[in-house]
Structures are given as C-alpha cells and as structure tokens.
RNA sequence: GACUCCGUAGCUCAACGGCAGAGCAGCGGACUUUUAAUCCGUUGGUUCUGGGUUCGAAUCCCAGCGGGGUCACCA
C-alpha cells in the first residue's frame, strides 16, 4: 500500500495548480458523491446543516418500543427522531430498508414511498449513500420478520460522506490503513470499537479505584531536563526560548517520589512515557503508564493494591474477573491471593539453576547455557539472570503470579531486603506469560541512592546507553527524608491487551506511531502547495 | 538494526511468463416487510516506485519506498 494508501486517497491532478488554490481530482466514487451533495443543495437541502435534532438514541428507541410492546401496543406510541450513519441499504421497488448506527447501537429505518412521498423517496434512493449521516423521524414498530424498525415519515441529510465506507462483509483488513486512518477502521470494524471502549472503561475504573483509596491524581513534567526512573534511551528535544535540551520522560517515578518527600501520602499519575527504542508487538515508542506511590507501605502492600486494582478494572470493564487471553482461560479471582514466588525459586524450579550459587559472570553463563538458555558471550551477570527469567520462567506464568525479590544489580531504585542485602524488595506481576508492571519498596536512603547512581554511571561509561544518569536533585530530595514507601508502575497498554485479548500493542493504541509516507503520496497531498517552512512554527505566539 | 513475507479497482481478494478478473460498493433497470435481499445490465486499473532480463513481465532479477511477522534492545 505504498503510493497512495487506500480508502481515502486522491489522484494526482493533471490540471495545473492555479495561484493560491489547490486542485484535487477526486476519485470517480468521490466525485459521484460530491455531485450528489451539489444536487441536494440545488433541491434546497444543505448537505452539511449546522444542527441536528435528535430526540432518542437508537438504544433508547429500542427500549421505548419494547416497553410499549409489553404494554400491548404495536408501535412505540410516539414520534421520535434518530440520527446516525447509514450502514446498510436494501431497496425493493417502492420500499427502502436501511440501518443507521449511532454511538449506542443500530436501528433499521423502514421507508415507504407512499408514506414519505415520491420526492423524498427518490431523494433517499438516489442522493443518499452508505456512510452518510442522516436524521429520521417516525414511530417504531416491529416488521414481519420481527425487527424493531422506525417507520420513517421524514428523512434528512446531516452530513454527506464523500468517501465510501470499506467493504461491508470483510471490513477493513489492510493493517496499514487501519493504523494510519483509524477513523476508517472504527467505522468498518466493530471489534475495534469494542477494544477502545473497553480501554476507556479500564482507565476510568483505575481512577475510581485510587480515588476511593484517598490517592490524589497529580501531573508531573513530560519535558524533563534530566530523564530517569527507568532503564531506557530517551527522546531529546530543544526549547527555543530557554535554549536548552529537554528529554521526553521515560518514567515519572522520580517526580512522584519527590511528592512523597513533600508530604503527599498517596499519589498516582496516568501519563504517556516515551522511549526511543525498537518497535514490536509489545513496545510502542509512546505508551501509557500508571504509576502510584504510597507512604508507609511496602511492596507487600503494593501487591495487594495491584491485585485488587487489576481485578476491579476487569470487573468494571468486562463485567467479570475471568477472561480468555490468546486461548488461555484466566481468572483474576482464583486463586486468591495471587501466588508470590521469589525470582530465585522460580528460576530454580524451571531451569534447575540456583543463580546465587554462581556469583560471577563466567560460572552463571556456563550454568545457564547448560540448562538450555541462549546467552550471548559478554552478557553481564544481572542480564543473565534477566535472560533466565525471560527464557525459563516467563512462559509459564499464565495465571496471575507475583515474582518477587530481585538481585540488587537489576534494580537501582529499590530498597534492599533487611535480611539479604544482595536482593531488593521488588515484584513484577505476570499474567498471560507477560509482565504487566513493576514495583518495589522504594529506596529512601539518600546515600545508598547516590551509590546506586554512581554504579549506573560506571555502566554508562562502559557503554550502557540505558543506564540511568545521576539525578542530584532527586538525591537532594531524599535528603529531606522520604518515609518508607511502596511504588508501582503498570503498563496500561499491556493491561488493555490482556483484558481485550489483543496480541499487538498497536491494536490497543488508537493512533500508533508510523513512519512518514513519502511526500506526495498520502490522502489529499497532491496539488497542495509545499508547506511554507521556517517561520511557520515560530511566528505565532500563545 | 538483521532476516523474512507482502503491496493488483474505493474495499476484500484472484490471476504467478502469454488479452488484468471476481465479489462487495458504484451506475442503469425490475421488485411495497428486507437482513451479506434477489434478479438483469454496466462503469471503474500508473498491478507501490525506478531500473533490468525476455518476442512478451502484475508474475523473474536488482534497488528503493511502505507495511506485517520473527529476532536483537526494552516495559
């Protein structure tokens, strides 16, 4: 789908570009529809009127009819007005059947020539198309085949569509058009509408959950002078007036902990994080993260929070705590509570290797390889542990499971276990073979934190581009004193994938990042004067 | 970034070295309770772009562009 993707592309115009105007040649189908809009205008009907006068949604119309029918009536008993997009049309001589869809469902219009008049009937037949928005008035009734329909007495256009909707039976399949022109995908594919409606319910349920626990929702910087809180490469940008580099945040963790220092006891934020890394079915350069921090809590408290929150979100969004993910039946409420196993036990169980027995890189690498892991030579010790987790353990964690207690080397912001300083109080919730978050008892010893940052700087000097930079202001904040605190990050996209049974992160992001099309090949790009460069972005203030 | 598959009408897809097709949508017609309505007729193409091989290329080769998948990195 390279040159001119799909549904809504326009052809190159052969006409020359006259000064100050653009010449766009519409496709045959688009031109037909444009002419129909003109014809409507000539007949005195604005194809794009300013206002609609809907009295009922399709869902309300249906419910109203069923109430009247239960009371013994054969009609809805009142004249109502619906508004919606034409999604199907079947005409049979002097009768026209057409379904319209609004944000609440679909309803069939039953249009008879002898009831709305010859002129109006011919207008509906000849000038209205699939995809148009229309408004219809009449009374509801049930057809011979049993479908509740609107006996249409009046039908007007609300918005003439120039692009035809995609194929009615197969929908829109081309993934590139589906992602680039999500509006077309939403029109064509009901499943897609369901996924994004569910995503919205998940997010609002999460807010209700934390609001109910007296958390406050806060907003921290997206543009950060120094990035941190995760191991990742950032996007870099530049502020003109300040003449300064800013980084797009890779996490909000360090700011949220500053707020705990400041005295807020419970804070959460749902925001976009940006990581300048590879793109695949589990990673998007821009993704949505929930982070929440709670004073006087530790990671065991936070496990309770995660379990309750995820279960609540599922119940609210799906109406159930059980669902199917990629063929696996998963129930968030069983077992309860979710099992908690240490990383060490898990790796031992599924690989036979007890990594604490191999404290140096060479011996652990040999043991991991002997157990069947693929480990590249030169992989540092903590990475080998991480690899063993990915290769041996993760695929087995289908039912909800907390993996707890990670080696300190993997977790520069987490607090050491009191009885084992080589490990930190950290957990990751796994469901469906994937991790949906990360959490720990937060490190609040400023001097230990400074040491960890310095360790990271060594890694950085050794070439690890993802090692965290030293954030002296954050250390300074900790020097004011942060109470014992538990913190969690949950990937909203991943959680949504899980609860909507989507295997690709792009299918839960409305407008996923895509490579630019070559100039002159996108919709409406032909004949457009070239973008006028330099001062375009700078001259306008506010 | 590497490997691999894909790109044909508005959409869904055929044709795989020999005249570029079908279904849906569209257009014209029949039909006053249809449900992917049915029936008759019909319009519509830079086969992603640029080279090459060949008597002949949508098809084979090379390069580019865009997308999917796998791997690497990461959450």
């Amino acid at each position: 789908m390279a040159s001119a993707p799909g549904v809504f592309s326009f052809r190159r115009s052969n006409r020359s570009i006259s000064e100050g105007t653009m010449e766009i040649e519409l496709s045959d189908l688009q031109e037909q529809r444009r002419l129909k809009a003109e014809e409507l205008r000539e007949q005195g009907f604005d194809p794009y009127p300013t206002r609609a006068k809907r009295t009922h949604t399709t869902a309300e119309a249906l419910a109203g009819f069923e109430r009247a029918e239960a009371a013994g009536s054969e009609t809805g008993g009142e004249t109502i007005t619906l508004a919606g997009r034409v999604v199907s049309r079947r005409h049979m001589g002097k009768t026209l059947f057409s379904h319209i869809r609004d944000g609440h469902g679909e309803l069939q219009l039953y249009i008879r020539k002898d009831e709305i008049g010859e002129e109006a009937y011919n207008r509906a037949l000849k000038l209205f198309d699939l995809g148009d928005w229309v408004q219809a008035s009449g009374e509801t009734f049930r057809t011979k085949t049993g479908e509740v329909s609107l006996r249409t007495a009046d039908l007007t256009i609300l918005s003439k569509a120039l692009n035809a909707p995609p194929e009615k039976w197969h929908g829109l399949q081309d993934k590139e058009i589906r992602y680039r022109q999500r509006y077309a995908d939403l029109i064509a594919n009901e499943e897609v509408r369901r996924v994004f409606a569910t995503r919205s319910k998940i997010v609002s349920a999460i807010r209700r959950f934390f609001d109910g626990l007296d958390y406050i929702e806060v907003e921290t910087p997206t543009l950060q002078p120094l990035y941190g809180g995760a191991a990742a490469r950032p996007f870099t940008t530049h502020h003109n007036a300040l003449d300064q580099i800013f980084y797009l945040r890779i996490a909000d963790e360090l700011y949220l902990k500053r707020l705990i220092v400041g005295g807020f006891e419970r804070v959460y934020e749902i925001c976009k994080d940006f990581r300048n890394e590879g793109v695949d079915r589990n990673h998007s350069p821009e993704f949505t993260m929930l982070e929440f921090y709670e004073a006087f809590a530790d990671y065991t408290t936070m496990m309770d929070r995660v379990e309750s929150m995820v279960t609540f979100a599922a119940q609210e969004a799906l109406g159930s705590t059980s669902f199917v993910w990629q063929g696996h039946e998963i129930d968030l409420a069983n077992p309860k509570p979710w099992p908690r196993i240490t990383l060490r036990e898990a790796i031992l169980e599924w690989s036979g290797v007890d990594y604490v027995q191999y404290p140096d890189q060479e011996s652990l690498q040999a043991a991991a390889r002997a157990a069947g892991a693929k480990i590249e030579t030169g992989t540092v010790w903590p990475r080998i542990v991480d690899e063993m987790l990915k290769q041996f353990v993760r695929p087995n964690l289908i039912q909800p499971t907390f993996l707890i207690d990670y080696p300190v080397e993997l977790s520069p912001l987490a607090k050491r276990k009191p009885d084992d300083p080589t490990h930190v109080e950290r957990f990751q919730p796994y469901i469906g073979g994937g991790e949906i978050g990360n959490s720990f008892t937060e490190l609040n010893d400023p001097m230990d934190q400074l040491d960890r940052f310095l360790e990271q700087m060594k890694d950085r000097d050794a070439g690890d581009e993802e090692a965290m930079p030293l954030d002296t202001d954050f250390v300074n904040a900790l020097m004011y004193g942060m109470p014992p605190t538990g913190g969690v990050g949950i990937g909203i996209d991943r959680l949504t994938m899980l609860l909507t049974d989507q295997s690709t992160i792009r299918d839960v992001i409305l407008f996923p990042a895509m490579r630019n099309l070559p100039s002159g090949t996108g919709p409406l790009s032909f004949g457009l004067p070239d973008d006028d460069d330099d001062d375009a972005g700078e001259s306008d203030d506010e």
Side-chain angles (χ1 to χ4, degrees):
Chain A
M1 205 36 59
S3 59
V7 218
F8 302 139
S9 61
F10 291 77
R11 290 185 190 168
R12 185 188 297 277
S13 168
N14 292 322
R15 291 167 286 182
S16 60
I17 299 166
S18 51
E19 212 174 337
T21 65
M22 13 181 253
E23 295 275 354
I24 293 163
E25 186 173 311
L26 302 177
S27 72
D28 292 346
L29 294 181
Q30 290 165 337
E31 179 63 11
Q32 278 177 10
R33 285 167 173 251
R34 192 187 66 78
L35 291 173
K36 289 179 181 180
E38 285 307 306
E39 176 63 23
L40 282 168
R41 228 186 285 273
E42 281 168 25
Q43 293 186 16
F45 297 94
D46 183 355
Y48 303 99
T50 306
R51 270 170 265 284
K53 288 183 200 152
R54 176 168 82 170
T55 64
H56 291 66
T57 66
T58 54
E60 288 165 349
L62 187 61
F65 174 80
E66 283 170 349
R67 272 197 306 276
E69 187 178 51
S73 172
E74 290 194 355
T75 74
E78 57 176 339
T79 296
I80 62 174
T81 302
L82 304 175
R85 167 180 276 127
V86 176
V87 293
S88 72
R89 277 161 59 90
R90 294 172 296 280
H91 59 98
M92 310 195 28
K94 300 183 176 65
T95 311
L96 174 62
F97 292 92
S98 179
H99 278 90
I100 61 169
R101 178 164 74 217
D102 63 15
H104 301 80
E106 295 183 5
L107 203 91
Q108 180 169 262
L109 305 183
Y110 175 61
I111 303 163
R112 291 171 59 109
K113 190 175 195 171
D114 58 2
E115 288 177 1
I116 68 165
E118 183 158 356
E119 266 186 40
Y121 187 80
N122 287 337
R123 197 156 49 239
L125 204 57
K126 300 295 181 190
L127 300 182
F128 288 23
D129 286 300
L130 288 177
D132 292 350
W133 289 88
V134 299
Q135 177 172 289
S137 301
E139 271 194 82
T140 47
F141 74 111
R142 202 179 278 282
T143 63
K144 193 162 76 180
T145 48
E147 178 161 352
V148 178
S149 306
L150 189 78
R151 185 179 290 272
T152 304
D154 187 56
L155 181 70
T156 58
I157 190 94
L158 288 179
S159 181
K160 183 71 194 163
L162 299 188
N163 283 321
E167 213 249 14
K168 64 179 173 185
W169 190 240
H170 301 92
L172 183 61
Q173 298 295 325
D174 186 309
K175 291 204 171 187
E176 181 167 2
I177 305 177
R178 290 188 44 218
Y179 296 146
R180 287 191 193 276
Q181 304 180 28
R182 183 68 87 181
Y183 38 88
D185 191 27
L186 288 165
I187 291 170
N189 298 317
E190 164 148 34
E191 167 71 1
V192 176
R193 297 195 293 274
R194 181 190 72 82
V195 165
F196 288 105
T198 302
R199 178 176 177 133
S200 172
K201 287 182 186 170
I202 292 168
V203 172
S204 71
I206 288 172
R207 288 205 161 91
R208 279 199 302 284
F209 178 83
F210 286 110
D211 294 347
L213 285 173
D214 288 329
Y215 272 74
I216 61 170
E217 182 171 10
V218 297
E219 294 172 87
T220 65
T222 301
L223 293 177
Q224 302 183 350
L226 195 61
Y227 61 94
R233 286 153 67 187
F235 286 90
T236 306
T237 188
H238 178 262
H239 188 286
N240 290 336
L242 298 180
D243 189 21
Q244 172 189 316
I245 295 282
F246 276 99
Y247 301 99
L248 272 59
R249 72 171 145 224
I250 59 172
D252 43 353
E253 167 152 0
L254 300 185
Y255 282 94
L256 292 175
K257 284 195 273 198
R258 285 171 169 99
L259 296 178
I260 300 291
V261 168
F264 288 122
E265 289 189 5
R266 298 180 174 195
V267 296
Y268 76 97
E269 180 171 21
I270 296 172
C271 67
K272 286 284 182 68
D273 288 348
F274 305 85
R275 299 188 184 173
N276 206 339
E277 289 162 350
V279 176
D280 63 31
R281 57 172 33 196
N282 286 312
H283 298 87
S284 168
E286 131 178 54
F287 63 101
T288 304
M289 180 75 100
L290 158 72
E291 291 200 32
F292 58 99
Y293 292 79
E294 182 171 330
F296 317 122
D298 64 10
Y299 76 147
T300 62
T301 324
M302 300 321 261
M303 279 185 253
D304 294 340
R305 297 277 187 254
V306 169
E307 181 170 340
S308 309
M309 189 270 288
V310 171
T311 306
F312 179 73
Q315 183 64 46
E316 294 289 296
L318 307 177
S320 168
T321 59
S322 63
F323 55 92
V324 173
W325 195 77
Q326 305 294 297
H328 298 288
E329 187 83 36
I330 292 173
D331 188 354
L332 299 173
N334 183 34
K336 192 177 177 180
W338 299 351
R340 304 174 181 191
I341 56 173
T342 67
L343 180 61
R344 181 182 173 187
E345 290 166 348
I347 291 179
L348 179 59
E349 176 171 348
W350 280 294
S351 76
V353 177
D354 184 4
Y355 64 75
V356 300
Q357 310 284 338
Y358 306 92
D360 60 278
Q361 183 176 336
E362 290 73 28
S363 62
L364 183 59
Q365 175 180 295
R369 284 179 176 168
K374 284 193 296 181
I375 307 288
E376 278 189 45
T377 302
T379 306
V380 295
W381 189 90
R383 281 261 165 265
I384 299 176
V385 174
D386 203 35
E387 275 306 312
M388 294 178 79
L389 160 63
K390 283 179 189 168
Q391 295 181 35
F392 294 116
V393 180
R394 187 192 278 180
N396 294 298
L397 302 181
I398 302 299
Q399 296 303 319
T401 308
F402 289 115
L403 219 51
I404 68 174
D405 297 348
Y406 286 63
V408 64
E409 293 88 344
L410 281 173
S411 319
L413 300 168
K415 191 155 180 162
R416 294 174 205 264
K417 290 181 73 65
D419 56 348
D420 176 9
T422 68
H423 284 72
V424 294
E425 292 197 347
R426 173 182 173 190
F427 73 84
Q428 291 193 292
Y430 279 83
I431 308 176
E435 64 203 86
I436 60 163
N438 189 21
S439 167
F440 27 83
T441 302
E442 301 297 337
L443 177 56
N444 63 346
D445 176 342
M447 290 301 106
D448 191 359
Q449 181 67 74
L450 183 58
D451 287 342
R452 307 272 194 100
F453 272 133
L454 295 175
E455 278 301 311
Q456 290 285 305
M457 286 181 75
K458 279 188 209 161
D459 291 348
R460 200 175 177 72
D461 290 342
D464 183 356
E465 290 186 72
E466 288 167 356
M468 292 180 202
L470 168 61
D471 190 334
T472 53
D473 180 78
F474 177 66
V475 175
N476 185 51
L478 292 185
M479 288 171 73
Y480 278 98
M482 184 171 84
T485 297
V488 178
I490 297 283
I492 296 295
D493 311 277
R494 296 234 176 128
L495 181 60
T496 302
M497 288 167 66
L498 189 70
L499 296 182
T500 57
D501 196 21
Q502 299 299 306
S503 61
T504 309
I505 198 168
R506 290 187 159 183
D507 288 331
V508 299
I509 294 175
L510 280 167
F511 298 99
M514 300 286 279
R515 196 184 293 273
N516 270 341
L517 290 171
S519 66
T521 58
L524 280 175
S525 58
F526 293 130
L528 279 172
D530 281 346
D531 263 2
D532 258 22
D533 49 283
D534 5 21
D535 44 16
E538 297 178 36
S539 58
D540 56 51
D541 13 32
E542 86 233 273

